[in-house]
Amino acid sequence: MTRSFRRAARFLAFAFPVALAACSGGGDPLSPPTTGGVALTVSGLPGGTAASIAMTGPGGFSRALTASGTVDGLTPGSYTLTAASVSAGGNTYAPATASQTVDVPASTSRVQVTVAYAQLNSQIVLTLSGLPGGTNGSVLVTNGSGFSQAVTATTTLTGLVPGIYTIAASSVTSGANTYAPSPASQQVQVTAGQSTSATVSYAMSVPGTVNLVIDGLTITQSVQTYDDTVPLVANRDAYLRVFVRADQANTVAPAVRVRLYQGANPTPVATYTLPAPGASVPMTVDQGTLGSSWNQLIPAAQMTAGLRILADVDPGNGVPESNEADNSYPSSGLQEALDVRAVAAFNINLVPVIVKGRTGNVTPGNMNQFVVTLSKVMPLQPSAVNVTLRATPYSSSADTLKYDNSNGAWGTVLSELFALQQAEGTGKYFYGVVNTSYGSGVAGIGYVPGKAAVGWDRLPSGDGVLAHEIGHNFSLSHAPCNNPGGTDPLFPYSGGTIGVWGLDVGSLTLKSPSSFDLMGYCNGTQWISDYHYQKALNYRQNTTGTVIAGAQSGLLVWGRIVNGAVTLEPAFEISAPASVPARRGPYVLEGLDDGGTILFSYPFEGELVADQDVEQRQFAFVIPLAGTSTDRLARLRVQGGSRTAERSSAAAMAVRGRGVAALRHQQPLPDRQARTVGGRMVRLQWNAAAYPMALVRDAATGDILSFARSGDATIGAGGRELDITFSDGVRSRQEQVTPQ
């Protein structure tokens, strides 16, 4: 993750010994064509409006396209066109298809591609009622960006820019009578491409007599819209604000009664009487100060599914009013159902990671400081945020972590952490904590979505880094603030702000709508928008609750795809819960015998890595090894588009189907040595030509200490006896080593 004090990460492919299928071309003019082309048609935009289309493809190809035209001289392969929304004349135009992939062959004919834009018809349907025939209302609709429209009768305001709109109504006179509006002021959220309804009801006033109404109420756990549409999390404290409004200046201070009901039960489960916050009732709604509303903390135990609410201002009728019939909320006098949802516990394992001798500083004493912001802003039950600390640090084989990630080390750590998570098979989120030599630069990296991320140990900023990266894990892309890559085109608020009022319930600190969404890169006050909060909640409800199966014999297969180029890491035979691809995708993992017969095949998509200049996906699976066919496994292959990566076992190919016993006899010795260095580290050396990677475990606990590379690795083993699984790429050989 980067912010304004961190630069955007640039991730590079690593040069591991894999066989990649190569594309070649060239020849004289009489030869068959070696390149291809694309003919792009852009439609639906007003004349002179530039489209926003990014085209990427093989070999790092990247080009920005703004209008219809052709792109020629393309290397054959798979190309992705990603279109973003654009604004023109106060209107927003969105592409019908945000991303599309085309295969460009070597041909003199261009591939036809169309990007169709359409105007997002955002509107407010405003209804005015209660006025005598021929009497005009007095309503002004504004937003914070210069929009202002007077409305005198029921109308539909179209072509609106998404955002918060204020509808302010004034009293009008008809004949000898004055008609007061209700509500006098309200705010509505206009969402791109959607219709929003609002009503202003006029009623004849009795001169000199105040009228009180409940304009609205909000129940907030992190962030909430004024119309209270953000779902609530069960068993989490919530803060109730009731907004009472008077139609004229006054010196009355009525109480508000709030009753909570469970389901259809007519008897309240709780009743609260809220005293007036001041000596008079305001005439307009002000969400910006807690002193302008009638407030009550609702404890976690009362926040349960099926909860309903009913509020009344001046329940004892102690204040003479011009209308005593409009004191309830909802105005119907019927209980309002609240959207309270149960969410699964959030289990996260913090892993101290050693990179080039630097160990991430996460301890039993500070581990809970890393999840403070996460627990406040995300749709979680704070009492069910379960933080565990991996007692054994993990030693990464990554190069030194750099502020600009120019060597790709951050991606290596993330890939290894993902493999570690799959091998341990607990189902928990894994968050690697690293120590950097710099204080400004890349601070974190994670999957969108996924269950693994890495961040630095610098507190208190490390707390915000974790919240941002776990936000990615919860499926959130970036908010458009300070030009991050990979922004969500549907994010509703310009400038990457949260757009509505948030609240830190623990400290009762309000968060202004102008605060920045934590998924952006802007400094300043950060919180979460209602858009991201609801998106994270929906993702968690749709993906949690997976039952973790028991451990079995499996093959850990892992690697990454960077801009279409595949890297396949050496595989390991392990005992762990099976974890096969859950989502089909454009890549295929295959296991083959020495004759080329396919023993297993899994299409997959891979986990998308955030903060990348080019698309990068990583994968890690535990393929179950059941049945005798695995005795024949000799090759692993990953294919996607025109790219292929493969690993083979020289020993398995040599015995050509004569079984496991023959294979073990054929495998070379690892020629390993292990020496204690400095009392806390172990230097492990082995025959890298035969075994390019070693999985190192603590023999006593079984904890994985490292995925060690290149035949020479220093590991935080502290003199422990080690169990080492050496991989020749496909097959494994296990050894037990006591460091000297």
Side-chain angles (χ1 to χ4, degrees):
M1 181 197 71
T2 60
R3 301 178 188 273
S4 63
F5 60 89
R6 299 187 289 274
R7 297 183 183 175
R10 185 178 302 276
F11 297 88
L12 306 176
F14 295 91
F16 292 113
V18 295
L20 297 176
C23 297
S24 63
D28 59 44
L30 299 179
S31 300
T34 60
T35 63
V38 166
L40 173 65
T41 300
V42 178
S43 64
L45 292 177
T49 301
S52 177
I53 304 170
M55 181 177 178
T56 58
F61 176 88
S62 179
R63 184 172 299 178
L65 307 175
T66 60
S68 299
T70 60
V71 183
D72 294 317
L74 298 177
T75 300
S78 180
Y79 289 79
T80 299
L81 284 83
T82 304
S85 298
V86 296
S87 297
N91 296 316
T92 300
Y93 296 81
T97 303
S99 179
Q100 52 185 306
T101 300
V102 295
D103 291 323
V104 177
S107 174
T108 57
S109 299
R110 300 183 181 98
V111 177
Q112 302 294 317
V113 182
T114 298
V115 175
Y117 280 87
Q119 180 180 338
L120 296 179
N121 186 23
S122 307
Q123 62 183 25
I124 297 175
V125 178
L126 180 56
T127 302
L128 274 60
S129 64
L131 290 173
T135 301
N136 290 333
S138 178
V139 179
L140 185 65
V141 182
T142 60
N143 70 1
S145 302
F147 176 88
S148 180
Q149 178 69 54
V151 176
T152 60
T154 296
T155 190
T156 298
L157 304 176
T158 61
L160 301 180
V161 175
I164 299 291
Y165 285 74
T166 298
I167 301 173
S170 302
S171 297
V172 297
T173 300
S174 178
N177 298 319
T178 298
Y179 293 82
S182 177
S185 178
Q186 58 184 303
Q187 290 182 321
V188 296
Q189 171 66 52
V190 173
T191 303
Q194 296 186 16
S195 179
T196 301
S197 297
T199 299
V200 176
S201 300
Y202 280 90
M204 188 170 64
S205 301
V206 177
T209 305
V210 70
N211 191 55
L212 306 175
V213 296
I214 296 178
D215 190 86
L217 61 79
T218 61
I219 303 175
T220 308
Q221 293 175 321
S222 175
V223 66
Q224 188 58 268
T225 59
Y226 187 68
D227 54 357
D228 214 41
T229 58
V230 177
L232 301 165
V233 172
N235 300 310
R236 175 173 177 169
D237 287 346
Y239 199 70
L240 168 68
R241 300 184 69 190
V242 180
F243 296 92
V244 180
R245 182 176 48 77
D247 64 341
Q248 57 189 271
N250 61 87
T251 56
V252 298
V256 168
R257 179 181 62 189
V258 175
R259 289 171 286 183
L260 299 179
Y261 301 83
Q262 183 53 244
N265 191 334
T267 303
V269 295
T271 299
Y272 297 103
T273 300
L274 315 182
S280 63
V281 176
M283 296 176 64
T284 59
V285 170
D286 179 11
Q287 290 185 262
T289 170
L290 293 179
S292 66
S293 55
W294 282 245
N295 307 322
Q296 176 66 45
L297 178 70
I298 302 178
Q302 292 177 1
M303 295 301 302
T304 55
L307 194 65
R308 294 174 175 269
I309 191 169
L310 179 62
D312 305 283
V313 61
D314 189 30
N317 292 328
V319 177
E321 296 184 64
S322 59
N323 185 357
E324 296 284 1
D326 60 355
N327 286 12
S328 295
Y329 186 91
S331 59
S332 63
L334 303 175
Q335 305 156 18
E336 179 179 73
L338 301 177
D339 186 2
V340 182
R341 304 183 186 181
V343 297
F346 177 69
N347 302 312
I348 184 169
N349 190 19
L350 301 185
V351 181
V353 179
I354 303 173
V355 182
K356 291 298 182 183
R358 304 181 72 98
T359 304
N361 181 24
V362 55
T363 67
N366 71 7
M367 66 180 189
N368 288 318
Q369 296 177 41
F370 284 88
V371 296
V372 173
T373 297
L374 180 81
S375 299
K376 288 181 177 180
V377 303
M378 289 295 179
L380 305 170
Q381 180 186 337
S383 62
V385 174
N386 303 316
V387 183
T388 55
L389 175 64
R390 195 173 194 264
T392 307
Y394 170 78
S395 296
S396 174
S397 60
D399 200 354
T400 302
L401 296 174
K402 294 188 175 183
Y403 77 96
D404 59 356
N405 198 43
S406 56
N407 60 358
W410 279 90
T412 301
V413 176
L414 179 63
S415 180
E416 292 178 5
L417 191 76
F418 189 16
L420 177 67
Q421 179 200 47
Q422 295 293 77
E424 295 201 348
T426 64
K428 295 181 179 180
Y429 284 74
F430 269 41
Y431 189 79
V433 181
V434 297
N435 178 265
T436 63
S437 60
Y438 56 84
S440 178
V442 179
I445 184 174
Y447 297 123
V448 191
K451 298 184 76 170
V454 179
W456 70 11
D457 60 0
R458 294 174 180 268
L459 292 171
S461 72
D463 166 53
V465 172
L466 183 144
H468 179 104
E469 300 305 337
I470 296 301
H472 282 318
N473 283 179
F474 288 170
S475 81
L476 306 184
S477 298
H478 285 132
C481 191
N482 204 16
N483 300 316
T487 57
D488 186 340
L490 300 180
F491 190 85
Y493 308 117
S494 62
T497 62
I498 67 174
V500 298
W501 284 95
L503 178 68
D504 182 340
V505 175
S507 65
L508 293 183
T509 303
L510 285 167
K511 306 295 181 178
S512 165
S514 62
S515 303
F516 297 117
D517 190 291
L518 60 82
M519 297 308 298
Y521 283 177
C522 287
N523 284 334
T525 301
Q526 292 187 337
W527 202 246
I528 193 169
S529 63
D530 61 307
Y531 173 78
H532 272 159
Y533 187 90
Q534 292 188 74
K535 187 175 180 181
L537 176 59
N538 292 337
Y539 174 79
R540 291 210 68 224
Q541 288 198 302
N542 291 332
T543 58
T544 53
T546 303
V547 177
I548 303 301
Q552 58 180 289
S553 177
L555 187 70
L556 176 63
V557 183
W558 56 303
R560 57 194 170 276
I561 305 109
V562 181
N563 201 25
V566 183
T567 297
L568 181 59
E569 299 281 18
F572 292 94
E573 297 174 43
I574 62 174
S575 178
S579 175
V580 298
R583 301 186 302 273
R584 297 178 64 90
Y587 302 96
V588 178
L589 166 64
E590 296 174 329
L592 306 92
D593 67 9
D594 53 12
T597 300
I598 296 176
L599 304 177
F600 58 77
S601 178
Y602 294 97
F604 70 95
E605 182 180 30
E607 305 298 305
L608 180 65
V609 183
D611 301 292
Q612 305 300 290
D613 291 336
V614 297
E615 181 175 282
Q616 180 176 164
R617 292 183 179 272
Q618 298 182 352
F619 58 92
F621 309 115
V622 178
I623 306 301
L625 296 179
T628 57
S629 64
T630 56
D631 296 345
R632 299 157 47 203
L633 183 64
R635 295 160 54 200
L636 292 171
R637 182 169 65 197
V638 172
Q639 298 184 92
S642 61
R643 304 296 185 93
T644 301
E646 184 172 308
R647 285 194 179 270
S648 61
S649 169
M653 297 293 283
V655 300
R656 299 194 62 80
R658 285 183 282 151
V660 174
L663 172 65
R664 290 174 179 167
H665 179 74
Q666 187 71 24
Q667 283 181 308
L669 293 173
D671 298 328
R672 75 293 187 282
Q673 298 181 35
R675 293 181 290 109
T676 300
V677 179
R680 299 177 57 189
M681 308 294 286
V682 170
R683 183 178 182 184
L684 178 66
Q685 296 174 292
W686 73 95
N687 176 9
Y691 300 101
M693 187 175 288
L695 188 160
V696 184
R697 295 181 186 268
D698 183 324
T701 65
D703 290 343
I704 295 175
L705 304 178
S706 183
F707 291 97
R709 304 173 188 269
S710 305
D712 194 337
T714 301
I715 300 163
R720 302 178 179 89
E721 187 172 28
L722 306 176
D723 279 335
I724 306 177
T725 303
F726 294 97
S727 172
D728 67 1
V730 177
R731 291 289 188 170
S732 300
R733 179 188 182 107
Q734 289 185 302
E735 300 278 339
Q736 192 166 79
V737 177
T738 301
Q740 301 302 311

